[in-house]
């Protein structure tokens, strides 16, 4: 994304982003047959998604609550609504100001009850917002059968990343450590309306073809298909556990494929996070749909990527675009290249900005 503001200071670019915040929003149901609706259906933000296990345990729920505290310490008083999936009592949506504290909510749920909380920052309850904190953890009886993983996803607006270049990485690595994450990814991503996500999947599908570096798909769908050692995608930040590191040839092999002038490695205890470049990249098709900082880690970790398509479960109803079938498979494979193209990507990497201390954490690997 650095190439979008080469002649502007970070302060000037941040000011421009704040003045044009609506350019990062899409009206509700924009591509549905009924036409655009009067709510925000989708926004592009910086999203971090982490997959983990044992979210039903008191220890892991305490870890989730601490992640929430850290998020609020970074983002501030930004939430307006709390959406709850199939609550045992009360409405699914509560004003955030009237919602129970997250620890109180956990305290009232035993280990065989699912955790499904979506904190949103939209003005209207159905609005998507760039600040988001979502967690979905399976109950004990499902977790024991190994049917699915747990997932936490958080989002910040890109302008926050410009103003505080290390903030998102710090949260992502700390959350991965605290949750003992199996794998995950962080970078540009869509945040859809918490209640009208089906009507806004077509917007996500259409825009993702113009911006290949923007993450798509409902995290809970991914959690139902991903395994301990299969990840979804590479991005600006890519988390993999130590078993996956060994399956990829070991840390030395990865560092050889991903040179330290352009890639940072952070240890989070049960795995590593790889940072690709100073800032996330939209991989815009009009500029470069296969940026080398994404192509190289994709090639190095391709064997660990899930081969199963599971981004969306809803098919097109009236011809609107959807990331199903071959379009979904094409998205998963969007950074795949031939051997000759991989050599070209390595050469093109030399012409991209090197990592600097402003945008990277202390190296730990």
């Amino acid at each position: 994304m650095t190439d979008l503001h080469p002649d502007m200071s970070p302060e000037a670019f941040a000011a421009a982003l704040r003045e044009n915040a609506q350019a990062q929003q899409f009206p509700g149901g924009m591509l549905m047959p009924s036409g655009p609706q009067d709510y925000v259906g989708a926004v592009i933000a910086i999203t971090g998604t982490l997959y983990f296990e044992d979210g039903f345990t008191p220890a892991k729920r305490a870890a989730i609550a601490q992640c929430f505290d850290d998020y609020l310490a970074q983002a501030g008083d930004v939430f307006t609504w709390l959406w709850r999936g199939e609550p045992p009592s009360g409405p699914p949506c509560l004003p955030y100001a009237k919602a129970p504290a997250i620890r109180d909510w956990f305290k009232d749920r035993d280990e065989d009850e699912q955790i499904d909380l979506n904190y949103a920052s939209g003005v209207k309850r159905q609005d998507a917002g760039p600040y988001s904190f979502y967690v979905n953890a399976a109950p004990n009886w499902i977790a024991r059968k190994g049917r699915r993983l747990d997932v936490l996803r958080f989002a910040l607006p890109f302008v926050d990343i410009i103003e505080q270049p290390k903030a998102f990485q710090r949260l992502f690595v700390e959350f991965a450590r605290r949750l003992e994450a199996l794998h995950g990814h962080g970078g540009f991503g869509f945040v859809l309306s918490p209640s009208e996500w089906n009507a806004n999947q077509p917007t996500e599908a259409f825009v993702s073809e113009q911006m290949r570096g923007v993450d798509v798909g409902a995290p809970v769908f991914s959690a139902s298909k991903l395994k301990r050692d299969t990840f979804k995608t590479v991005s600006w930040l890519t988390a993999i556990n130590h078993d996956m590191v060994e399956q990829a040839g070991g840390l030395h092999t990865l560092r050889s494929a991903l040179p330290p002038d352009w890639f940072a490695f952070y240890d989070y205890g049960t795995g590593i996070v790889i940072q690709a470049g100073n800032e996330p990249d939209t991989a815009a098709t009009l500029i470069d749909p296969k940026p080398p900082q994404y192509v190289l880690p994709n090639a190095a970790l391709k064997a660990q990527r899930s081969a199963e398509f599971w981004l969306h479960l809803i098919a097109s109803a009236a011809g609107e675009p959807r990331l199903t079938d071959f379009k979904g498979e094409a998205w998963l494979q969007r950074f795949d290249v031939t051997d000759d193209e991989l050599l070209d990507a390595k050469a093109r990497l030399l012409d991209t900005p090197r990592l600097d201390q402003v945008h990277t954490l202390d190296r730990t690997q």
Side-chain angles (χ1 to χ4, degrees):
M1 191 74 178
T2 305
D3 57 337
L4 295 184
H5 57 101
D7 301 321
M8 299 177 68
S9 68
E11 295 78 11
F13 187 56
L17 285 174
R18 291 197 183 280
E19 291 175 3
N20 296 278
Q22 290 187 341
Q24 301 153 61
Q25 302 176 356
F26 301 89
M30 183 175 72
L31 297 179
M32 293 297 285
S34 57
Q37 304 295 314
D38 185 23
Y39 69 93
V40 179
V43 299
I44 294 178
I46 308 299
T47 63
T49 307
L50 293 163
Y51 298 93
F52 61 101
E53 293 178 319
D54 299 331
F56 63 88
T57 64
K60 200 58 67 76
R61 290 183 179 182
I64 294 168
Q66 187 59 53
C67 290
F68 186 68
D69 289 348
D70 288 357
Y71 178 91
L72 292 180
Q74 172 62 41
D77 184 17
V78 293
F79 289 133
T80 48
W81 305 97
L82 169 59
W83 284 88
R84 305 177 298 165
E86 300 181 2
S89 62
C93 181
L94 296 171
Y96 176 71
K98 298 181 179 180
I102 192 168
R103 286 179 177 81
D104 293 339
W105 203 91
F106 287 163
K107 190 182 303 181
D108 292 338
R109 302 291 175 270
D110 65 38
E111 65 178 18
D112 282 322
E113 293 185 77
Q114 177 169 290
I115 300 298
D116 186 355
L117 302 175
N118 191 349
Y119 293 89
S121 59
V123 176
K124 301 176 183 176
R125 64 173 59 197
Q126 68 267 47
D127 283 346
Y131 293 98
S132 174
F133 189 97
Y134 170 79
V135 60
N136 190 299
N140 186 13
W141 67 273
I142 290 181
R144 284 179 178 175
K145 298 179 180 180
R147 291 182 179 177
R148 49 154 292 186
L149 303 179
D150 302 325
V151 61
L152 183 150
R153 189 182 77 162
F154 65 100
L156 294 171
F158 181 49
V159 65
D160 285 20
I161 309 307
I162 298 299
E163 293 178 335
Q164 301 184 61
K166 297 182 182 182
F168 190 88
Q169 301 94 302
R170 189 176 293 112
L171 288 178
F172 188 88
V173 173
E174 179 58 26
F175 290 3
R177 182 196 65 78
R178 194 174 285 142
L179 297 171
E180 300 176 300
L182 299 172
H183 42 75
H185 53 275
F188 281 106
F190 288 96
V191 179
L192 301 186
S193 163
S195 59
E196 305 297 330
W197 53 269
N198 179 27
N200 293 285
Q201 285 183 348
T203 299
E204 181 183 50
F206 175 78
V207 178
S208 71
E209 293 188 354
Q210 322 305 316
M211 299 180 179
R212 305 304 273 171
V214 183
D215 185 40
V216 301
V220 68
F221 291 170
S222 302
S224 68
K225 295 294 183 181
L226 292 172
K227 307 301 181 185
R228 289 180 56 88
D229 58 353
T230 58
F231 73 102
K232 175 182 173 180
T233 185
V234 299
S235 190
W236 177 43
L237 305 178
T238 304
I240 55 174
N241 63 60
H242 286 315
D243 287 343
M244 297 171 71
V245 172
E246 293 307 311
Q247 292 167 14
L251 187 59
H252 178 73
T253 297
L254 285 176
R255 290 187 67 87
S256 297
L258 307 173
D261 280 350
W262 292 272
F263 297 92
F265 288 68
Y266 309 125
D267 184 357
Y268 67 85
T270 55
I272 62 171
V273 171
I274 303 169
Q275 178 178 334
N278 287 316
E279 294 178 352
D281 197 319
T282 61
T285 55
L286 294 178
I287 300 174
D288 185 0
K290 294 189 176 185
Q293 64 268 32
Y294 290 175
V295 168
L296 269 61
N298 179 75
L301 299 172
K302 185 177 177 181
Q304 284 72 52
R305 190 181 72 203
S306 176
E308 186 175 359
F309 174 67
W310 27 256
L311 295 175
H312 292 80
L313 301 181
I314 307 299
S316 174
E320 73 276 4
R322 298 274 182 171
L323 281 170
T324 53
D325 301 325
F326 74 91
K327 286 189 176 182
E329 293 174 2
W331 188 88
L332 291 174
Q333 300 167 8
R334 67 200 186 285
F335 297 135
D336 288 359
V337 295
T338 65
D339 290 344
D340 287 343
E341 290 171 330
L342 182 59
L343 290 175
D344 176 67
K346 291 178 179 179
R348 290 191 294 117
L349 183 70
L350 301 176
D351 296 324
T352 64
R354 286 167 166 76
L355 290 174
D356 59 49
Q357 293 183 349
V358 173
H359 295 86
T360 53
L361 307 177
D362 293 337
R363 308 295 182 93
T364 56
Q365 286 285 347

